[in-house]
Protein backbone atom coordinates (compact mmCIF):
# COMPACT_ATOMS: atom_id res chain seq x y z
CA UNK A 1 0.00 0.00 0.00
CA UNK A 2 1.30 3.36 -1.05
CA UNK A 3 -0.10 4.85 2.17
CA UNK A 4 2.65 2.97 4.06
CA UNK A 5 5.38 5.05 2.49
CA UNK A 6 3.65 8.33 1.60
CA UNK A 7 3.87 11.14 4.11
CA UNK A 8 1.21 13.78 4.63
CA UNK A 9 3.78 16.37 3.54
CA UNK A 10 4.20 14.70 0.16
CA UNK A 11 0.49 14.86 -0.58
CA UNK A 12 0.33 18.43 0.69
CA UNK A 13 3.12 19.39 -1.67
CA UNK A 14 1.27 17.76 -4.58
CA UNK A 15 -1.79 19.88 -3.87
CA UNK A 16 0.22 23.03 -3.19
CA UNK A 17 1.97 22.80 -6.52
CA UNK A 18 -1.26 22.12 -8.41
CA UNK A 19 -2.85 25.21 -6.88
CA UNK A 20 0.22 27.40 -7.38
CA UNK A 21 0.60 26.44 -11.05
CA UNK A 22 -2.93 27.67 -11.68
CA UNK A 23 -2.58 30.77 -9.54
CA UNK A 24 -5.55 29.58 -7.53
CA UNK A 25 -4.31 30.69 -4.10
CA UNK A 26 -6.56 33.73 -4.57
CA UNK A 27 -9.63 31.46 -4.46
CA UNK A 28 -8.33 29.22 -1.71
CA UNK A 29 -9.50 31.20 1.27
CA UNK A 30 -10.48 29.17 4.33
CA UNK A 31 -14.12 30.16 3.81
CA UNK A 32 -14.19 28.94 0.22
CA UNK A 33 -12.25 25.78 1.01
CA UNK A 34 -14.60 24.88 3.85
CA UNK A 35 -17.46 25.13 1.36
CA UNK A 36 -15.54 22.97 -1.12
CA UNK A 37 -15.02 20.34 1.54
CA UNK A 38 -18.71 20.26 2.37
CA UNK A 39 -19.62 20.08 -1.32
CA UNK A 40 -17.29 17.14 -1.95
CA UNK A 41 -18.53 15.38 1.19
CA UNK A 42 -22.06 15.75 -0.19
CA UNK A 43 -21.02 14.29 -3.54
CA UNK A 44 -19.61 11.35 -1.64
CA UNK A 45 -22.89 10.94 0.26
CA UNK A 46 -24.80 10.76 -3.00
CA UNK A 47 -23.44 7.27 -3.55
CA UNK A 48 -25.07 6.09 -0.33
CA UNK A 49 -28.18 8.29 -0.38
CA UNK A 50 -30.87 5.72 -1.09
CA UNK A 51 -29.33 2.48 0.10
CA UNK A 52 -29.40 0.84 3.48
CA UNK A 53 -26.44 1.06 5.83
CA UNK A 54 -25.81 -2.68 5.45
CA UNK A 55 -25.95 -2.42 1.68
CA UNK A 56 -23.44 0.45 1.80
CA UNK A 57 -20.85 -2.03 3.12
CA UNK A 58 -21.05 -3.80 -0.23
CA UNK A 59 -20.41 -0.61 -2.21
CA UNK A 60 -16.84 -1.79 -2.67
CA UNK A 61 -17.95 -4.93 -4.50
CA UNK A 62 -18.80 -3.04 -7.68
CA UNK A 63 -15.51 -1.81 -9.22
CA UNK A 64 -17.12 1.06 -11.15
CA UNK A 65 -18.94 2.29 -8.08
CA UNK A 66 -15.85 1.92 -5.91
CA UNK A 67 -13.81 3.94 -8.42
CA UNK A 68 -16.37 6.75 -8.30
CA UNK A 69 -16.41 6.70 -4.49
CA UNK A 70 -12.62 6.67 -4.44
CA UNK A 71 -12.56 9.83 -6.58
CA UNK A 72 -14.90 11.63 -4.19
CA UNK A 73 -12.83 10.63 -1.16
CA UNK A 74 -9.74 11.92 -2.97
CA UNK A 75 -11.52 15.24 -3.53
CA UNK A 76 -12.35 15.50 0.15
CA UNK A 77 -8.77 14.76 1.09
CA UNK A 78 -7.36 17.22 -1.48
CA UNK A 79 -9.41 20.07 -0.05
CA UNK A 80 -8.43 19.06 3.48
CA UNK A 81 -4.78 19.25 2.44
CA UNK A 82 -5.38 22.58 0.67
CA UNK A 83 -6.97 24.00 3.79
CA UNK A 84 -4.09 22.79 5.95
CA UNK A 85 -1.70 24.44 3.49
CA UNK A 86 -3.59 27.71 3.63
CA UNK A 87 -3.82 27.73 7.45
CA UNK A 88 -0.33 26.27 7.90
CA UNK A 89 -1.63 23.51 10.15
CA UNK A 90 0.18 20.26 10.82
CA UNK A 91 -2.43 17.60 10.12
CA UNK A 92 -0.69 14.70 11.85
CA UNK A 93 -0.42 16.61 15.10
CA UNK A 94 -4.00 17.84 14.73
CA UNK A 95 -5.26 14.26 14.35
CA UNK A 96 -3.15 12.97 17.23
CA UNK A 97 -4.33 15.76 19.53
CA UNK A 98 -7.94 15.21 18.53
CA UNK A 99 -7.69 11.46 19.16
CA UNK A 100 -6.49 12.18 22.69
CA UNK A 101 -9.54 14.39 23.24
CA UNK A 102 -11.80 11.77 21.71
CA UNK A 103 -10.35 9.07 23.94
CA UNK A 104 -11.18 11.20 26.98
CA UNK A 105 -14.69 11.96 25.66
CA UNK A 106 -15.42 8.34 24.75
CA UNK A 107 -13.69 6.15 27.34
CA UNK A 108 -13.53 2.53 26.23
CA UNK A 109 -15.36 1.26 29.30
CA UNK A 110 -18.41 3.45 28.71
CA UNK A 111 -18.40 3.64 24.93
CA UNK A 112 -17.79 0.04 23.99
CA UNK A 113 -20.39 -0.96 21.40
CA UNK A 114 -22.48 2.16 21.79
CA UNK A 115 -22.52 5.74 20.59
CA UNK A 116 -23.83 8.51 22.79
CA UNK A 117 -27.29 9.51 21.71
CA UNK A 118 -27.32 12.66 19.58
CA UNK A 119 -27.60 15.85 21.57
CA UNK A 120 -25.59 14.58 24.47
CA UNK A 121 -22.20 14.79 22.81
CA UNK B 1 6.50 19.59 10.85
CA UNK B 2 5.22 16.21 11.90
CA UNK B 3 3.53 15.85 8.50
CA UNK B 4 7.00 15.44 6.99
CA UNK B 5 7.60 12.16 8.76
CA UNK B 6 4.10 10.78 9.32
CA UNK B 7 2.72 8.40 6.74
CA UNK B 8 -0.94 8.06 5.88
CA UNK B 9 -0.76 4.48 7.11
CA UNK B 10 0.29 5.61 10.59
CA UNK B 11 -2.73 7.90 10.93
CA UNK B 12 -5.00 5.22 9.51
CA UNK B 13 -3.74 2.77 12.11
CA UNK B 14 -4.39 5.31 14.88
CA UNK B 15 -8.00 5.62 13.78
CA UNK B 16 -8.43 1.88 13.18
CA UNK B 17 -7.30 1.06 16.70
CA UNK B 18 -9.52 3.73 18.27
CA UNK B 19 -12.53 2.33 16.47
CA UNK B 20 -11.67 -1.31 17.19
CA UNK B 21 -11.14 -0.67 20.93
CA UNK B 22 -14.68 0.67 21.14
CA UNK B 23 -16.18 -2.01 18.93
CA UNK B 24 -17.47 0.73 16.66
CA UNK B 25 -16.88 -1.05 13.34
CA UNK B 26 -20.58 -1.92 13.48
CA UNK B 27 -21.45 1.79 13.14
CA UNK B 28 -18.74 2.56 10.62
CA UNK B 29 -20.60 1.68 7.46
CA UNK B 30 -19.72 3.77 4.40
CA UNK B 31 -23.18 5.36 4.50
CA UNK B 32 -22.83 6.47 8.10
CA UNK B 33 -19.25 7.63 7.65
CA UNK B 34 -20.16 9.72 4.61
CA UNK B 35 -22.76 11.46 6.79
CA UNK B 36 -20.16 11.98 9.52
CA UNK B 37 -17.80 13.55 7.03
CA UNK B 38 -20.48 15.96 5.83
CA UNK B 39 -21.43 16.81 9.40
CA UNK B 40 -17.85 17.60 10.38
CA UNK B 41 -17.34 19.62 7.20
CA UNK B 42 -20.40 21.66 8.19
CA UNK B 43 -19.03 22.24 11.69
CA UNK B 44 -15.87 23.52 10.05
CA UNK B 45 -17.91 25.85 7.84
CA UNK B 46 -19.59 27.34 10.90
CA UNK B 47 -16.38 29.16 11.70
CA UNK B 48 -16.54 30.99 8.39
CA UNK B 49 -20.31 31.29 8.04
CA UNK B 50 -20.79 35.02 8.55
CA UNK B 51 -17.42 36.46 7.64
CA UNK B 52 -16.09 37.63 4.33
CA UNK B 53 -13.70 35.48 2.30
CA UNK B 54 -10.88 37.97 2.89
CA UNK B 55 -11.54 37.99 6.63
CA UNK B 56 -11.46 34.19 6.64
CA UNK B 57 -7.78 34.38 5.70
CA UNK B 58 -7.13 35.98 9.05
CA UNK B 59 -8.89 33.20 10.99
CA UNK B 60 -5.47 31.85 11.87
CA UNK B 61 -4.50 35.03 13.70
CA UNK B 62 -6.67 34.24 16.69
CA UNK B 63 -5.11 31.25 18.51
CA UNK B 64 -8.37 30.16 20.15
CA UNK B 65 -10.24 30.26 16.87
CA UNK B 66 -7.42 28.50 15.05
CA UNK B 67 -7.41 25.74 17.67
CA UNK B 68 -11.14 25.21 17.18
CA UNK B 69 -10.76 25.13 13.40
CA UNK B 70 -7.85 22.70 13.73
CA UNK B 71 -10.06 20.34 15.74
CA UNK B 72 -12.73 20.36 13.07
CA UNK B 73 -10.21 19.70 10.30
CA UNK B 74 -8.87 16.80 12.37
CA UNK B 75 -12.41 15.41 12.62
CA UNK B 76 -12.83 15.61 8.87
CA UNK B 77 -9.52 13.84 8.33
CA UNK B 78 -10.29 11.16 10.93
CA UNK B 79 -13.53 10.22 9.19
CA UNK B 80 -11.77 10.25 5.82
CA UNK B 81 -9.23 7.80 7.23
CA UNK B 82 -11.99 5.69 8.81
CA UNK B 83 -13.80 5.50 5.48
CA UNK B 84 -10.60 4.51 3.68
CA UNK B 85 -10.10 1.80 6.31
CA UNK B 86 -13.62 0.50 5.84
CA UNK B 87 -13.42 0.49 2.04
CA UNK B 88 -9.76 -0.65 2.00
CA UNK B 89 -8.76 2.20 -0.28
CA UNK B 90 -5.24 3.52 -0.63
CA UNK B 91 -5.59 7.27 -0.11
CA UNK B 92 -2.23 8.30 -1.55
CA UNK B 93 -2.92 6.54 -4.82
CA UNK B 94 -6.46 7.92 -4.86
CA UNK B 95 -5.17 11.48 -4.48
CA UNK B 96 -2.43 11.00 -7.07
CA UNK B 97 -4.88 9.54 -9.59
CA UNK B 98 -7.38 12.33 -8.94
CA UNK B 99 -4.72 15.00 -9.40
CA UNK B 100 -3.92 13.54 -12.81
CA UNK B 101 -7.59 13.78 -13.75
CA UNK B 102 -7.79 17.30 -12.36
CA UNK B 103 -4.74 18.35 -14.33
CA UNK B 104 -6.43 17.15 -17.52
CA UNK B 105 -9.69 18.86 -16.59
CA UNK B 106 -8.04 22.13 -15.63
CA UNK B 107 -5.04 22.60 -17.94
CA UNK B 108 -2.72 25.31 -16.69
CA UNK B 109 -2.99 27.35 -19.88
CA UNK B 110 -6.76 27.64 -19.69
CA UNK B 111 -7.26 27.63 -15.93
CA UNK B 112 -4.59 30.05 -14.80
CA UNK B 113 -6.20 32.57 -12.47
CA UNK B 114 -9.75 31.51 -13.19
CA UNK B 115 -12.19 28.86 -12.15
CA UNK B 116 -14.72 27.49 -14.58
CA UNK B 117 -18.09 29.03 -13.94
CA UNK B 118 -20.39 26.74 -11.92
CA UNK B 119 -22.49 24.42 -14.00
CA UNK B 120 -19.84 23.94 -16.68
CA UNK B 121 -17.60 21.61 -14.72
CA UNK C 1 -52.86 21.67 10.78
CA UNK C 2 -51.59 25.21 10.61
CA UNK C 3 -49.94 24.39 7.27
CA UNK C 4 -53.44 24.24 5.75
CA UNK C 5 -54.01 27.94 6.31
CA UNK C 6 -50.51 29.42 6.34
CA UNK C 7 -49.15 30.79 3.09
CA UNK C 8 -45.50 30.83 2.12
CA UNK C 9 -45.67 34.62 2.09
CA UNK C 10 -46.70 34.72 5.75
CA UNK C 11 -43.67 32.68 6.81
CA UNK C 12 -41.41 34.71 4.55
CA UNK C 13 -42.66 37.90 6.18
CA UNK C 14 -41.97 36.44 9.63
CA UNK C 15 -38.37 35.78 8.67
CA UNK C 16 -37.95 39.08 6.85
CA UNK C 17 -39.06 41.04 9.88
CA UNK C 18 -36.83 39.06 12.24
CA UNK C 19 -33.82 39.78 10.03
CA UNK C 20 -34.70 43.45 9.51
CA UNK C 21 -35.20 44.11 13.21
CA UNK C 22 -31.64 42.90 13.85
CA UNK C 23 -30.18 44.69 10.85
CA UNK C 24 -28.89 41.34 9.64
CA UNK C 25 -29.51 41.89 5.92
CA UNK C 26 -25.81 42.74 5.70
CA UNK C 27 -24.94 39.13 6.64
CA UNK C 28 -27.67 37.56 4.56
CA UNK C 29 -25.83 37.32 1.26
CA UNK C 30 -26.74 34.32 -0.90
CA UNK C 31 -23.28 32.85 -0.31
CA UNK C 32 -23.59 33.03 3.47
CA UNK C 33 -27.18 31.79 3.45
CA UNK C 34 -26.28 28.80 1.31
CA UNK C 35 -23.67 27.90 3.92
CA UNK C 36 -26.24 28.34 6.69
CA UNK C 37 -28.62 26.02 4.90
CA UNK C 38 -25.94 23.34 4.56
CA UNK C 39 -24.95 23.76 8.21
CA UNK C 40 -28.52 23.36 9.43
CA UNK C 41 -29.06 20.37 7.13
CA UNK C 42 -25.99 18.79 8.72
CA UNK C 43 -27.33 19.43 12.22
CA UNK C 44 -30.50 17.68 11.15
CA UNK C 45 -28.48 14.72 9.84
CA UNK C 46 -26.78 14.35 13.19
CA UNK C 47 -29.98 12.91 14.60
CA UNK C 48 -29.85 10.08 12.10
CA UNK C 49 -26.09 9.66 11.84
CA UNK C 50 -25.60 6.32 13.59
CA UNK C 51 -28.96 4.67 13.25
CA UNK C 52 -30.34 2.44 10.55
CA UNK C 53 -32.73 3.78 7.93
CA UNK C 54 -35.55 1.66 9.35
CA UNK C 55 -34.85 2.90 12.86
CA UNK C 56 -34.94 6.48 11.59
CA UNK C 57 -38.63 5.99 10.80
CA UNK C 58 -39.25 5.62 14.51
CA UNK C 59 -37.48 8.88 15.37
CA UNK C 60 -40.90 10.46 15.76
CA UNK C 61 -41.84 8.07 18.57
CA UNK C 62 -39.64 9.84 21.10
CA UNK C 63 -41.19 13.27 21.81
CA UNK C 64 -37.91 14.85 22.96
CA UNK C 65 -36.07 13.64 19.88
CA UNK C 66 -38.91 14.69 17.60
CA UNK C 67 -38.89 18.17 19.14
CA UNK C 68 -35.16 18.50 18.47
CA UNK C 69 -35.58 17.29 14.88
CA UNK C 70 -38.50 19.68 14.39
CA UNK C 71 -36.28 22.59 15.48
CA UNK C 72 -33.63 21.66 12.94
CA UNK C 73 -36.18 21.35 10.15
CA UNK C 74 -37.49 24.78 11.12
CA UNK C 75 -33.96 26.17 10.85
CA UNK C 76 -33.57 24.71 7.37
CA UNK C 77 -36.88 26.20 6.30
CA UNK C 78 -36.09 29.60 7.85
CA UNK C 79 -32.87 29.89 5.86
CA UNK C 80 -34.66 28.73 2.71
CA UNK C 81 -37.19 31.52 3.24
CA UNK C 82 -34.42 34.03 3.97
CA UNK C 83 -32.64 33.08 0.76
CA UNK C 84 -35.86 33.41 -1.23
CA UNK C 85 -36.35 36.84 0.33
CA UNK C 86 -32.84 37.90 -0.57
CA UNK C 87 -33.07 36.63 -4.17
CA UNK C 88 -36.73 37.69 -4.55
CA UNK C 89 -37.74 34.23 -5.71
CA UNK C 90 -41.27 32.88 -5.58
CA UNK C 91 -40.90 29.53 -3.82
CA UNK C 92 -44.28 28.08 -4.79
CA UNK C 93 -43.62 28.63 -8.47
CA UNK C 94 -40.08 27.31 -8.08
CA UNK C 95 -41.37 24.10 -6.50
CA UNK C 96 -44.11 23.67 -9.08
CA UNK C 97 -41.69 24.19 -11.97
CA UNK C 98 -39.18 21.78 -10.44
CA UNK C 99 -41.84 19.13 -9.94
CA UNK C 100 -42.69 19.33 -13.64
CA UNK C 101 -39.02 18.78 -14.49
CA UNK C 102 -38.80 15.95 -11.97
CA UNK C 103 -41.88 14.29 -13.44
CA UNK C 104 -40.22 14.35 -16.87
CA UNK C 105 -36.94 13.04 -15.44
CA UNK C 106 -38.58 10.29 -13.42
CA UNK C 107 -41.59 9.07 -15.41
CA UNK C 108 -43.90 6.95 -13.29
CA UNK C 109 -43.67 3.94 -15.61
CA UNK C 110 -39.90 3.73 -15.38
CA UNK C 111 -39.35 5.00 -11.83
CA UNK C 112 -42.02 3.11 -9.94
CA UNK C 113 -40.37 1.53 -6.90
CA UNK C 114 -36.84 2.30 -7.97
CA UNK C 115 -34.38 5.16 -7.91
CA UNK C 116 -31.88 5.62 -10.70
CA UNK C 117 -28.47 4.45 -9.60
CA UNK C 118 -26.21 7.33 -8.52
CA UNK C 119 -24.17 8.79 -11.34
CA UNK C 120 -26.84 8.27 -13.96
CA UNK C 121 -29.13 11.06 -12.89
CA UNK D 1 -46.51 36.40 -6.11
CA UNK D 2 -47.81 32.89 -5.96
CA UNK D 3 -46.38 32.59 -2.44
CA UNK D 4 -49.12 35.00 -1.27
CA UNK D 5 -51.85 32.52 -2.03
CA UNK D 6 -50.14 29.14 -1.75
CA UNK D 7 -50.31 27.33 1.57
CA UNK D 8 -47.66 25.01 2.91
CA UNK D 9 -50.22 22.22 2.78
CA UNK D 10 -50.68 22.66 -0.96
CA UNK D 11 -46.97 22.24 -1.65
CA UNK D 12 -46.79 19.31 0.77
CA UNK D 13 -49.60 17.60 -1.12
CA UNK D 14 -47.80 18.16 -4.41
CA UNK D 15 -44.72 16.40 -3.05
CA UNK D 16 -46.71 13.67 -1.32
CA UNK D 17 -48.50 12.75 -4.52
CA UNK D 18 -45.29 12.76 -6.56
CA UNK D 19 -43.68 10.37 -4.09
CA UNK D 20 -46.75 8.13 -3.79
CA UNK D 21 -47.18 7.80 -7.58
CA UNK D 22 -43.64 6.42 -7.78
CA UNK D 23 -43.96 4.22 -4.72
CA UNK D 24 -40.97 6.03 -3.25
CA UNK D 25 -42.18 6.14 0.37
CA UNK D 26 -39.93 3.12 0.92
CA UNK D 27 -36.86 5.29 0.23
CA UNK D 28 -38.15 8.33 2.08
CA UNK D 29 -36.95 7.47 5.54
CA UNK D 30 -35.94 10.43 7.72
CA UNK D 31 -32.31 9.32 7.54
CA UNK D 32 -32.26 9.24 3.74
CA UNK D 33 -34.20 12.49 3.43
CA UNK D 34 -31.83 14.30 5.78
CA UNK D 35 -28.99 13.21 3.49
CA UNK D 36 -30.93 14.41 0.44
CA UNK D 37 -31.44 17.78 2.07
CA UNK D 38 -27.72 18.14 2.78
CA UNK D 39 -26.86 17.05 -0.76
CA UNK D 40 -29.20 19.60 -2.32
CA UNK D 41 -27.94 22.32 0.02
CA UNK D 42 -24.42 21.51 -1.18
CA UNK D 43 -25.49 21.74 -4.83
CA UNK D 44 -26.90 25.16 -4.02
CA UNK D 45 -23.60 26.17 -2.39
CA UNK D 46 -21.72 25.24 -5.55
CA UNK D 47 -23.09 28.34 -7.23
CA UNK D 48 -21.42 30.52 -4.63
CA UNK D 49 -18.33 28.44 -3.96
CA UNK D 50 -15.64 30.61 -5.51
CA UNK D 51 -17.17 34.06 -5.46
CA UNK D 52 -17.08 36.74 -2.84
CA UNK D 53 -20.03 37.34 -0.53
CA UNK D 54 -20.66 40.74 -2.15
CA UNK D 55 -20.56 39.20 -5.62
CA UNK D 56 -23.05 36.56 -4.49
CA UNK D 57 -25.65 39.33 -4.08
CA UNK D 58 -25.48 39.87 -7.83
CA UNK D 59 -26.13 36.20 -8.61
CA UNK D 60 -29.70 37.15 -9.42
CA UNK D 61 -28.62 39.49 -12.21
CA UNK D 62 -27.80 36.64 -14.58
CA UNK D 63 -31.10 34.97 -15.58
CA UNK D 64 -29.49 31.61 -16.44
CA UNK D 65 -27.64 31.49 -13.13
CA UNK D 66 -30.70 32.58 -11.20
CA UNK D 67 -32.77 29.85 -12.86
CA UNK D 68 -30.20 27.23 -11.81
CA UNK D 69 -30.13 28.57 -8.25
CA UNK D 70 -33.92 28.61 -8.18
CA UNK D 71 -33.99 24.92 -9.12
CA UNK D 72 -31.63 24.03 -6.28
CA UNK D 73 -33.67 26.01 -3.75
CA UNK D 74 -36.77 24.19 -4.98
CA UNK D 75 -34.99 20.86 -4.41
CA UNK D 76 -34.12 21.86 -0.85
CA UNK D 77 -37.70 22.88 -0.19
CA UNK D 78 -39.13 19.71 -1.77
CA UNK D 79 -37.06 17.52 0.53
CA UNK D 80 -38.01 19.66 3.52
CA UNK D 81 -41.66 19.13 2.64
CA UNK D 82 -41.09 15.40 2.09
CA UNK D 83 -39.45 15.10 5.50
CA UNK D 84 -42.32 16.98 7.13
CA UNK D 85 -44.74 14.61 5.42
CA UNK D 86 -42.83 11.57 6.62
CA UNK D 87 -42.57 12.84 10.22
CA UNK D 88 -46.06 14.37 10.19
CA UNK D 89 -44.75 17.73 11.37
CA UNK D 90 -46.55 21.02 10.92
CA UNK D 91 -43.95 23.28 9.34
CA UNK D 92 -45.69 26.60 10.00
CA UNK D 93 -45.92 25.90 13.70
CA UNK D 94 -42.34 24.61 13.74
CA UNK D 95 -41.10 27.84 12.16
CA UNK D 96 -43.19 30.04 14.45
CA UNK D 97 -41.98 28.19 17.55
CA UNK D 98 -38.38 28.38 16.39
CA UNK D 99 -38.63 32.10 15.71
CA UNK D 100 -39.81 32.62 19.29
CA UNK D 101 -36.74 30.72 20.52
CA UNK D 102 -34.49 32.67 18.17
CA UNK D 103 -35.94 35.97 19.37
CA UNK D 104 -35.07 34.98 22.95
CA UNK D 105 -31.58 33.83 21.92
CA UNK D 106 -30.86 36.92 19.84
CA UNK D 107 -32.58 39.86 21.55
CA UNK D 108 -32.75 42.89 19.28
CA UNK D 109 -30.88 45.13 21.71
CA UNK D 110 -27.84 42.86 21.88
CA UNK D 111 -27.88 41.40 18.39
CA UNK D 112 -28.51 44.48 16.29
CA UNK D 113 -25.93 44.53 13.50
CA UNK D 114 -23.83 41.72 14.91
CA UNK D 115 -23.80 37.96 15.00
CA UNK D 116 -22.50 36.09 17.99
CA UNK D 117 -19.02 34.80 17.31
CA UNK D 118 -18.98 31.12 16.35
CA UNK D 119 -18.65 28.74 19.25
CA UNK D 120 -20.65 30.90 21.61
CA UNK D 121 -24.05 30.13 20.18
Amino acid sequence: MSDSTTTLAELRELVRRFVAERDWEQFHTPKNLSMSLAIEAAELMEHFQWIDVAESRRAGDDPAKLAAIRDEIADVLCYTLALANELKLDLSDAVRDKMVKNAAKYPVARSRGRYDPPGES
Side-chain angles (χ1 to χ4, degrees), chain A residues 5-118:
Chain A
T5 53
T6 306
T7 63
L8 274 291
E10 287 173 78
L11 292 187
R12 290 177 70 146
E13 174 57 16
L14 204 66
V15 171
R16 191 201 60 71
R17 209 163 46 216
F18 185 91
V19 173
E21 282 168 0
R22 281 155 191 79
D23 196 19
W24 280 0
E25 294 94 342
Q26 58 188 307
F27 302 114
H28 276 213
T29 60
K31 178 163 177 138
N32 288 358
L33 290 173
S34 74
M35 293 174 79
S36 305
L37 247 178
I39 290 167
E40 297 302 336
E43 292 182 3
L44 177 62
M45 273 203 298
E46 266 191 79
H47 292 280
F48 309 111
Q49 185 174 7
W50 300 116
I51 61 176
D52 196 79
V53 295
E55 197 182 337
S56 79
R57 288 223 196 258
R58 299 188 294 274
D61 296 352
D62 176 343
K65 186 177 280 296
L66 185 61
I69 291 168
R70 184 175 177 266
D71 268 3
E72 301 297 352
I73 295 175
D75 282 336
V76 168
L77 185 49
C78 284
Y79 279 122
T80 306
L81 298 165
L83 188 53
N85 284 344
E86 168 69 26
L87 292 172
K88 297 180 193 0
L89 286 172
D90 189 287
L91 287 169
S92 312
D93 281 351
V95 164
R96 284 190 196 99
D97 289 353
K98 194 65 205 316
M99 293 306 271
V100 170
K101 283 192 195 182
N102 284 346
K105 187 174 171 187
Y106 301 103
V108 169
R110 191 173 57 79
S111 301
R112 205 171 169 80
R114 59 181 291 271
Y115 264 108
D116 286 330

